[in-house]
Amino acid sequence: MHPLEQLRDDALREIESARDEQALEAARVKYLGRSGSVSSWGEQMKTLAKEEKPIVGKLLNEVRNAVTAAVETRAQQFRSQKEAGALGKIDISLPGAAGSTGYSGYLPLERGSLHPLTQMLERSIEIFRRMGFALADGPDIEDDWHCFDALNTPPEHPARNEQDTFYLPDGRLLRTHTSTVQIRTMQSAPPPIRVIAPGAAYRRDEVDATHSAQFHQIEGLYVDENVSVADLKGTLEFFMRELFGADTAVQFRPHYFPFTEPSLEVYVKSKALKKGEQWIEVAGSGIVHPAVFEAVNKARGDKAYDPEKWTGFAFGLGMDRLAMILFDIPDIRLFAQNDLRFLRQFA
């Protein structure tokens, strides 16, 4: 048995025997943490013979995926136990609350459901978590540096115009994308990092069927040694096929973004979608521009993100757009109108 296989078996046994969430987190850090047993094998890859690297690399990925999946499964079991315990205290034989109109009887309680955007967000996060991405968060109110300068966006760029961005009287602004969280993450932690940043973004768009002044994104960032376009494509292809179906075709087309080079737009085509054989644009992505790393280094006061050593990819997904495509919703304004006739369709 290969040592990695033994490591996998040991990890799975320890995860399965974890008695509580604290023990599970300790096991996760022990095996998947930055200095964990699985992660240390990634460092050992450099010392292997050339003919061994593909074999061990494949096995290492399988072990990492198996351990990550086991952690997620055990965590879900603990969450289910908590929910069951909370529900166990509720007497479901009690009638519903009395109506506010003075009616002496009892009104039936309607079953609620998650908003379609929340469903889309949770589904997307779950897919990325399975690939090892951690969640990162940041403020909605930002400054020019985090929103533009650090992302290699020049002063003359249209996005910096007051006609496109909501500026506050003190010069701060409502973030136009959640890429700001990527910058804050790099400021606070050295590489390697693998994060997604879900949240709201704001732009001065004319509100119509496909545009809104507030929308929702998930942006991702992965920085490590030797990260390539192949890693980016593999990540987004897996996500799109998990979201839209295994037969989904994914296409990458050259584009321009100031913070990535090369930059790629992502298109999908799936028989499961109403538009069928039509290519649909769903995301922007690319390899992180060295100028972004240099800006972060300057802010940190070190060379932690030396572009000669580290590379990375970034991507951005619009949750509203993905939900409209997946659920065949014709008008983005429906998300914010709180019309029960619309929301009940997702119960």
Side-chain angles (χ1 to χ4, degrees):
M1 178 183 288
H2 193 278
L4 270 172
E5 294 175 311
Q6 183 62 52
L7 176 63
R8 176 197 61 203
D9 294 344
D10 293 343
L12 295 182
R13 276 194 298 270
E14 188 168 340
I15 290 166
E16 183 61 32
S17 63
R19 300 177 63 87
D20 52 35
E21 290 175 312
Q22 289 74 23
L24 178 61
E25 176 62 15
R28 186 195 69 80
V29 172
K30 177 180 177 181
Y31 292 103
L32 297 176
R34 187 173 299 166
S35 302
S37 304
V38 176
S39 303
S40 66
W41 267 93
E43 293 297 320
Q44 295 179 39
M45 288 287 292
K46 304 172 187 176
T47 64
L48 297 178
K50 185 176 180 181
E51 60 273 12
E52 288 185 282
K53 286 185 178 180
I55 300 170
V56 176
K58 181 182 178 183
L59 182 56
L60 177 59
N61 283 334
E62 292 173 352
V63 170
R64 183 185 289 112
N65 291 339
V67 175
T68 300
V71 170
E72 287 291 331
T73 300
R74 192 70 175 128
Q76 181 58 49
Q77 290 173 353
F78 286 132
R79 288 193 291 268
S80 298
Q81 290 170 8
K82 278 187 176 181
E83 292 170 2
L87 291 173
K89 300 175 183 178
I90 300 173
D91 184 354
I92 61 173
S93 66
L94 287 173
S100 59
T101 59
Y103 173 60
S104 60
Y106 292 94
L107 298 176
L109 296 178
E110 290 192 47
R111 183 178 181 180
S113 66
L114 294 176
H115 191 280
L117 284 178
T118 304
Q119 294 182 35
M120 186 74 253
L121 189 66
E122 291 191 351
R123 190 168 173 181
S124 300
I125 290 173
E126 185 270 333
I127 296 171
F128 282 119
R129 288 294 294 269
R130 281 158 49 198
M131 289 188 278
F133 284 85
L135 284 174
D137 194 16
D140 287 28
I141 297 177
E142 273 290 3
D143 53 56
D144 263 334
W145 189 84
H146 284 93
C147 201
F148 298 123
D149 295 326
L151 290 161
N152 198 38
T153 306
E156 66 275 9
H157 194 281
R160 304 185 72 154
N161 193 297
E162 290 186 1
Q163 302 302 314
D164 291 309
T165 300
F166 290 103
Y167 281 92
L168 303 180
D170 62 3
R172 293 181 300 164
L173 52 92
L174 297 181
R175 65 186 182 190
T176 59
H177 43 209
T178 59
S179 301
T180 55
V181 181
Q182 299 174 6
I183 299 299
R184 290 184 176 275
T185 300
M186 287 190 283
Q187 281 183 272
S188 62
I193 56 172
R194 188 197 303 251
V195 296
I196 51 171
Y202 312 86
R203 294 177 191 169
R204 285 184 179 271
D205 282 337
E206 288 290 335
V207 178
D208 57 27
T210 57
H211 297 84
S212 175
Q214 176 183 328
F215 52 98
H216 305 81
Q217 291 184 323
I218 284 185
E219 299 218 9
L221 174 68
Y222 174 41
V223 179
D224 206 333
E225 296 184 53
N226 303 315
V227 175
S228 68
V229 172
D231 300 304
L232 168 63
K233 292 179 67 176
T235 299
L236 292 181
E237 284 174 354
F238 178 83
F239 173 81
M240 297 304 171
R241 287 173 182 145
E242 287 294 297
L243 185 66
F244 295 118
D247 66 338
T248 301
V250 185
Q251 187 179 86
F252 295 82
R253 301 180 187 178
H255 196 67
Y256 169 76
F257 301 110
F259 32 80
T260 52
E261 179 59 39
S263 301
L264 302 166
E265 280 193 330
V266 187
Y267 289 74
V268 298
K269 182 170 63 173
S270 174
K271 294 178 181 178
L273 302 176
K274 186 175 181 181
K275 293 188 178 181
E277 295 302 308
Q278 180 178 339
W279 287 105
I280 307 171
E281 186 265 319
V282 291
S285 64
I287 299 298
V288 179
H289 199 294
V292 174
F293 287 151
E294 294 292 3
V296 170
N297 287 336
K298 186 175 181 181
R300 289 173 54 96
D302 59 24
K303 291 287 287 183
Y305 285 85
D306 183 353
E308 295 297 320
K309 178 180 180 182
W310 303 99
T311 52
F313 66 70
F315 57 83
L317 302 160
M319 293 293 98
D320 309 68
R321 177 162 176 76
L322 289 181
M324 291 176 72
I325 294 169
L326 189 63
F327 301 138
D328 191 26
I329 297 171
D331 195 320
I332 195 172
R333 291 168 291 194
L334 290 168
F335 291 132
Q337 290 174 351
N338 292 325
D339 188 331
L340 291 179
R341 295 170 299 178
F342 169 71
L343 297 176
R344 284 193 182 109
Q345 297 176 55
F346 304 93

